[in-house]
Amino acid sequence: MVKIAFGSFGDSFSVGSLKAYLSEFIATLLFVFAGVGSAIAYSKLTTDAALDPPGLVAVAVAHAFAIIVGIAMAANISGGHLNPAVTFGLAIGGNITILTGIFYWIVQCLGSIVACLLLKYVTSAKSIPTHGLASGMNALEGVVMEIVITFALVYAVYATAADPKKGSLGIIAPIVIGFLVGANILAAGPFSGASMNPARSFGPAVVSGDLSQNWIYWVGPLMGGALAGLVYGDIFIGSYSQPPYSDEYA
């Protein structure tokens, strides 16, 4: 059974940890700026504010590119989580302490909020696009959708970046994760919005002033991330002779 460590304030406020928080803030800000910005840009270039098939592809590609770059930028400093669900899944698997993970959550959400405030200012957007369920889809269906796609995301993070036996996969991890994010958006975007990331949904919701459905994008992704941490951490990494701690991803 993988151990979950709470951690200490001394470790969570070390120089290395403070640098990691700043790295997560910057990387998440740039990721959300590109991701939300792509949706704003598409709506400006078209007469229909709703995303049609080409718009869905454009937004998926923008998110995929942005997450690849964001992870690569922050990987050597903070691990390149950029996502509270990823942080939570890694904490469940013992790759980061709970206390440090909480501070990751805080800076990730702040980065998302700042990104959306900047977008609202520089684009003169009347509103920031938020995640929401498609017509006819209920909350439970939305939560399950987010659980499934976030499980896939965090499972991929474990398999390519957090597994001690990852080998050369660690080099291409950002690309693999980015491709999966793009694929999940293409598959689930028309239904739940394909958040997979509580911070990505929280920033737009705060800036737009609409938090009515935001809980879905916390419950679903966190459950999916935790499940991936339990499955990969316990079944695969937990069977190794060495502890599942990875200095490169925590």
Side-chain angles (χ1 to χ4, degrees), residues 142-179:
V143 168
V144 172
M145 177 71 83
E146 289 294 322
I147 289 174
V148 173
I149 60 178
T150 309
F151 173 86
L153 169 60
V154 179
Y155 191 92
V157 169
Y158 263 100
T160 61
D163 192 323
K165 293 186 177 180
K166 63 183 178 295
S168 60
L169 279 176
I171 300 174
I172 64 171
I175 298 174
V176 173
I177 295 166
F179 281 178

Short mmCIF file of all heavy atoms in Angstrom, two decimals, residues 142-179:
data_model
loop_
_atom_site.label_atom_id
_atom_site.label_comp_id
_atom_site.label_asym_id
_atom_site.label_seq_id
_atom_site.Cartn_x
_atom_site.Cartn_y
_atom_site.Cartn_z
N GLY A 142 -22.03 14.41 -15.96
CA GLY A 142 -20.87 15.28 -16.10
C GLY A 142 -19.73 14.87 -15.19
O GLY A 142 -18.56 14.86 -15.59
N VAL A 143 -20.06 14.54 -13.95
CA VAL A 143 -19.04 14.10 -12.99
C VAL A 143 -18.37 12.82 -13.47
O VAL A 143 -17.14 12.69 -13.43
CB VAL A 143 -19.66 13.89 -11.59
CG1 VAL A 143 -18.67 13.17 -10.67
CG2 VAL A 143 -20.03 15.24 -10.97
N VAL A 144 -19.17 11.86 -13.93
CA VAL A 144 -18.61 10.59 -14.41
C VAL A 144 -17.71 10.82 -15.62
O VAL A 144 -16.63 10.23 -15.74
CB VAL A 144 -19.73 9.59 -14.75
CG1 VAL A 144 -19.15 8.34 -15.43
CG2 VAL A 144 -20.49 9.20 -13.50
N MET A 145 -18.14 11.69 -16.53
CA MET A 145 -17.32 12.01 -17.70
C MET A 145 -15.97 12.57 -17.27
O MET A 145 -14.91 12.17 -17.77
CB MET A 145 -18.04 13.01 -18.60
CG MET A 145 -17.23 13.46 -19.82
SD MET A 145 -17.05 12.17 -21.07
CE MET A 145 -18.60 12.36 -21.94
N GLU A 146 -16.00 13.51 -16.32
CA GLU A 146 -14.76 14.12 -15.85
C GLU A 146 -13.89 13.13 -15.09
O GLU A 146 -12.66 13.19 -15.15
CB GLU A 146 -15.07 15.33 -14.97
CG GLU A 146 -15.62 16.53 -15.74
CD GLU A 146 -14.61 17.12 -16.71
OE1 GLU A 146 -13.42 17.18 -16.36
OE2 GLU A 146 -15.03 17.52 -17.81
N ILE A 147 -14.51 12.19 -14.37
CA ILE A 147 -13.75 11.15 -13.68
C ILE A 147 -12.96 10.31 -14.69
O ILE A 147 -11.76 10.06 -14.53
CB ILE A 147 -14.67 10.23 -12.85
CG1 ILE A 147 -15.21 10.97 -11.63
CG2 ILE A 147 -13.93 8.97 -12.40
CD1 ILE A 147 -16.26 10.18 -10.84
N VAL A 148 -13.65 9.91 -15.76
CA VAL A 148 -13.03 9.02 -16.74
C VAL A 148 -11.86 9.71 -17.46
O VAL A 148 -10.75 9.16 -17.55
CB VAL A 148 -14.06 8.54 -17.78
CG1 VAL A 148 -13.38 7.75 -18.90
CG2 VAL A 148 -15.12 7.68 -17.11
N ILE A 149 -12.08 10.91 -17.96
CA ILE A 149 -11.02 11.56 -18.74
C ILE A 149 -9.87 12.04 -17.85
O ILE A 149 -8.72 12.06 -18.29
CB ILE A 149 -11.57 12.72 -19.59
CG1 ILE A 149 -12.23 13.80 -18.73
CG2 ILE A 149 -12.55 12.19 -20.64
CD1 ILE A 149 -12.74 14.99 -19.54
N THR A 150 -10.17 12.39 -16.59
CA THR A 150 -9.09 12.80 -15.69
C THR A 150 -8.31 11.58 -15.22
O THR A 150 -7.09 11.66 -15.02
CB THR A 150 -9.62 13.58 -14.48
OG1 THR A 150 -10.47 14.63 -14.93
CG2 THR A 150 -8.47 14.18 -13.68
N PHE A 151 -8.99 10.46 -15.03
CA PHE A 151 -8.29 9.21 -14.72
C PHE A 151 -7.28 8.91 -15.82
O PHE A 151 -6.12 8.58 -15.55
CB PHE A 151 -9.28 8.05 -14.60
CG PHE A 151 -8.61 6.71 -14.45
CD1 PHE A 151 -8.24 6.24 -13.20
CD2 PHE A 151 -8.35 5.91 -15.56
CE1 PHE A 151 -7.61 5.01 -13.05
CE2 PHE A 151 -7.72 4.68 -15.43
CZ PHE A 151 -7.34 4.23 -14.18
N ALA A 152 -7.71 9.05 -17.08
CA ALA A 152 -6.81 8.80 -18.21
C ALA A 152 -5.61 9.74 -18.17
O ALA A 152 -4.46 9.32 -18.40
CB ALA A 152 -7.57 8.95 -19.52
N LEU A 153 -5.87 11.00 -17.86
CA LEU A 153 -4.79 11.99 -17.82
C LEU A 153 -3.78 11.67 -16.72
O LEU A 153 -2.57 11.62 -16.98
CB LEU A 153 -5.38 13.39 -17.59
CG LEU A 153 -4.38 14.51 -17.27
CD1 LEU A 153 -3.39 14.69 -18.41
CD2 LEU A 153 -5.11 15.81 -16.97
N VAL A 154 -4.25 11.46 -15.50
CA VAL A 154 -3.33 11.22 -14.38
C VAL A 154 -2.65 9.86 -14.52
O VAL A 154 -1.49 9.70 -14.15
CB VAL A 154 -4.07 11.35 -13.03
CG1 VAL A 154 -3.13 11.08 -11.86
CG2 VAL A 154 -4.67 12.75 -12.90
N TYR A 155 -3.35 8.89 -15.07
CA TYR A 155 -2.73 7.59 -15.34
C TYR A 155 -1.57 7.75 -16.30
O TYR A 155 -0.51 7.14 -16.14
CB TYR A 155 -3.78 6.63 -15.90
CG TYR A 155 -3.35 5.19 -15.96
CD1 TYR A 155 -3.62 4.32 -14.91
CD2 TYR A 155 -2.67 4.68 -17.07
CE1 TYR A 155 -3.23 3.00 -14.95
CE2 TYR A 155 -2.27 3.36 -17.12
CZ TYR A 155 -2.54 2.53 -16.06
OH TYR A 155 -2.13 1.21 -16.12
N ALA A 156 -1.77 8.60 -17.33
CA ALA A 156 -0.70 8.86 -18.30
C ALA A 156 0.47 9.58 -17.63
O ALA A 156 1.64 9.32 -17.96
CB ALA A 156 -1.23 9.69 -19.46
N VAL A 157 0.16 10.48 -16.69
CA VAL A 157 1.22 11.17 -15.95
C VAL A 157 2.06 10.16 -15.18
O VAL A 157 3.30 10.21 -15.19
CB VAL A 157 0.62 12.23 -15.00
CG1 VAL A 157 1.69 12.74 -14.02
CG2 VAL A 157 0.03 13.39 -15.78
N TYR A 158 1.40 9.26 -14.49
CA TYR A 158 2.12 8.22 -13.75
C TYR A 158 2.96 7.36 -14.69
O TYR A 158 4.15 7.09 -14.44
CB TYR A 158 1.14 7.33 -13.00
CG TYR A 158 0.95 7.71 -11.55
CD1 TYR A 158 -0.15 8.46 -11.15
CD2 TYR A 158 1.88 7.32 -10.58
CE1 TYR A 158 -0.33 8.81 -9.82
CE2 TYR A 158 1.71 7.68 -9.26
CZ TYR A 158 0.61 8.42 -8.87
OH TYR A 158 0.45 8.77 -7.56
N ALA A 159 2.36 6.91 -15.77
CA ALA A 159 3.03 5.96 -16.66
C ALA A 159 4.24 6.57 -17.35
O ALA A 159 5.23 5.87 -17.61
CB ALA A 159 2.03 5.45 -17.70
N THR A 160 4.19 7.86 -17.65
CA THR A 160 5.27 8.47 -18.42
C THR A 160 6.20 9.36 -17.61
O THR A 160 7.33 9.62 -18.03
CB THR A 160 4.68 9.33 -19.57
OG1 THR A 160 3.87 10.38 -19.02
CG2 THR A 160 3.84 8.49 -20.50
N ALA A 161 5.75 9.85 -16.45
CA ALA A 161 6.57 10.82 -15.71
C ALA A 161 6.88 10.41 -14.28
O ALA A 161 7.94 10.74 -13.76
CB ALA A 161 5.89 12.19 -15.73
N ALA A 162 5.95 9.72 -13.61
CA ALA A 162 6.13 9.44 -12.18
C ALA A 162 6.56 8.02 -11.86
O ALA A 162 6.93 7.73 -10.73
CB ALA A 162 4.82 9.75 -11.42
N ASP A 163 6.53 7.15 -12.83
CA ASP A 163 6.93 5.76 -12.61
C ASP A 163 8.45 5.68 -12.55
O ASP A 163 9.14 6.14 -13.47
CB ASP A 163 6.40 4.89 -13.75
CG ASP A 163 6.53 3.41 -13.46
OD1 ASP A 163 7.53 3.01 -12.83
OD2 ASP A 163 5.63 2.64 -13.86
N PRO A 164 9.01 5.08 -11.47
CA PRO A 164 10.47 4.96 -11.38
C PRO A 164 11.09 4.20 -12.55
O PRO A 164 12.28 4.36 -12.83
CB PRO A 164 10.67 4.19 -10.07
CG PRO A 164 9.45 4.46 -9.27
CD PRO A 164 8.35 4.55 -10.27
N LYS A 165 10.31 3.36 -13.22
CA LYS A 165 10.83 2.58 -14.35
C LYS A 165 10.50 3.22 -15.70
O LYS A 165 10.56 2.56 -16.73
CB LYS A 165 10.24 1.16 -14.31
CG LYS A 165 10.73 0.34 -13.11
CD LYS A 165 10.24 -1.09 -13.22
CE LYS A 165 10.79 -1.94 -12.07
NZ LYS A 165 10.33 -3.34 -12.17
N LYS A 166 10.17 4.50 -15.69
CA LYS A 166 9.74 5.16 -16.93
C LYS A 166 10.81 5.18 -18.01
O LYS A 166 10.52 5.22 -19.19
CB LYS A 166 9.28 6.59 -16.65
CG LYS A 166 10.37 7.51 -16.10
CD LYS A 166 9.80 8.87 -15.79
CE LYS A 166 10.84 9.81 -15.20
NZ LYS A 166 11.32 9.37 -13.88
N GLY A 167 12.10 5.21 -17.61
CA GLY A 167 13.18 5.22 -18.59
C GLY A 167 13.09 6.40 -19.54
O GLY A 167 12.86 7.53 -19.13
N SER A 168 13.22 6.12 -20.84
CA SER A 168 13.22 7.19 -21.84
C SER A 168 11.85 7.84 -22.00
O SER A 168 11.74 8.90 -22.61
CB SER A 168 13.69 6.64 -23.18
OG SER A 168 12.83 5.61 -23.64
N LEU A 169 10.79 7.21 -21.45
CA LEU A 169 9.46 7.80 -21.55
C LEU A 169 9.40 9.16 -20.86
O LEU A 169 8.60 10.01 -21.23
CB LEU A 169 8.42 6.87 -20.93
CG LEU A 169 7.92 5.70 -21.78
CD1 LEU A 169 6.97 4.84 -20.97
CD2 LEU A 169 7.24 6.20 -23.04
N GLY A 170 10.24 9.35 -19.84
CA GLY A 170 10.24 10.62 -19.13
C GLY A 170 10.57 11.79 -20.02
O GLY A 170 10.15 12.92 -19.77
N ILE A 171 11.33 11.54 -21.08
CA ILE A 171 11.73 12.61 -21.99
C ILE A 171 10.55 13.09 -22.82
O ILE A 171 10.40 14.29 -23.09
CB ILE A 171 12.87 12.13 -22.89
CG1 ILE A 171 14.09 11.72 -22.05
CG2 ILE A 171 13.26 13.22 -23.90
CD1 ILE A 171 15.20 11.09 -22.85
N ILE A 172 9.70 12.16 -23.23
CA ILE A 172 8.57 12.52 -24.09
C ILE A 172 7.27 12.67 -23.32
O ILE A 172 6.21 12.85 -23.92
CB ILE A 172 8.38 11.48 -25.21
CG1 ILE A 172 8.01 10.12 -24.64
CG2 ILE A 172 9.63 11.39 -26.07
CD1 ILE A 172 7.60 9.10 -25.69
N ALA A 173 7.35 12.62 -21.98
CA ALA A 173 6.14 12.68 -21.16
C ALA A 173 5.25 13.88 -21.47
O ALA A 173 4.04 13.74 -21.62
CB ALA A 173 6.51 12.67 -19.67
N PRO A 174 5.81 15.12 -21.57
CA PRO A 174 4.93 16.27 -21.87
C PRO A 174 4.16 16.10 -23.17
O PRO A 174 2.98 16.50 -23.27
CB PRO A 174 5.90 17.45 -21.94
CG PRO A 174 7.07 17.03 -21.12
CD PRO A 174 7.20 15.55 -21.35
N ILE A 175 4.80 15.50 -24.19
CA ILE A 175 4.14 15.33 -25.49
C ILE A 175 3.01 14.32 -25.37
O ILE A 175 1.90 14.54 -25.87
CB ILE A 175 5.16 14.88 -26.55
CG1 ILE A 175 6.23 15.95 -26.73
CG2 ILE A 175 4.46 14.58 -27.87
CD1 ILE A 175 7.36 15.53 -27.66
N VAL A 176 3.28 13.20 -24.70
CA VAL A 176 2.26 12.17 -24.51
C VAL A 176 1.06 12.74 -23.75
O VAL A 176 -0.11 12.54 -24.13
CB VAL A 176 2.83 10.96 -23.75
CG1 VAL A 176 1.74 9.97 -23.40
CG2 VAL A 176 3.93 10.28 -24.57
N ILE A 177 1.33 13.45 -22.67
CA ILE A 177 0.26 14.04 -21.85
C ILE A 177 -0.51 15.07 -22.66
O ILE A 177 -1.75 15.13 -22.60
CB ILE A 177 0.86 14.66 -20.57
CG1 ILE A 177 1.47 13.56 -19.70
CG2 ILE A 177 -0.21 15.43 -19.80
CD1 ILE A 177 2.36 14.07 -18.59
N GLY A 178 0.19 15.89 -23.42
CA GLY A 178 -0.47 16.90 -24.24
C GLY A 178 -1.39 16.29 -25.29
O GLY A 178 -2.51 16.76 -25.51
N PHE A 179 -0.92 15.22 -25.94
CA PHE A 179 -1.76 14.54 -26.93
C PHE A 179 -3.02 13.98 -26.28
O PHE A 179 -4.12 14.04 -26.86
CB PHE A 179 -0.98 13.40 -27.60
CG PHE A 179 -0.02 13.85 -28.66
CD1 PHE A 179 0.78 12.93 -29.32
CD2 PHE A 179 0.09 15.18 -29.01
CE1 PHE A 179 1.66 13.33 -30.31
CE2 PHE A 179 0.97 15.60 -30.00
CZ PHE A 179 1.76 14.68 -30.65
#
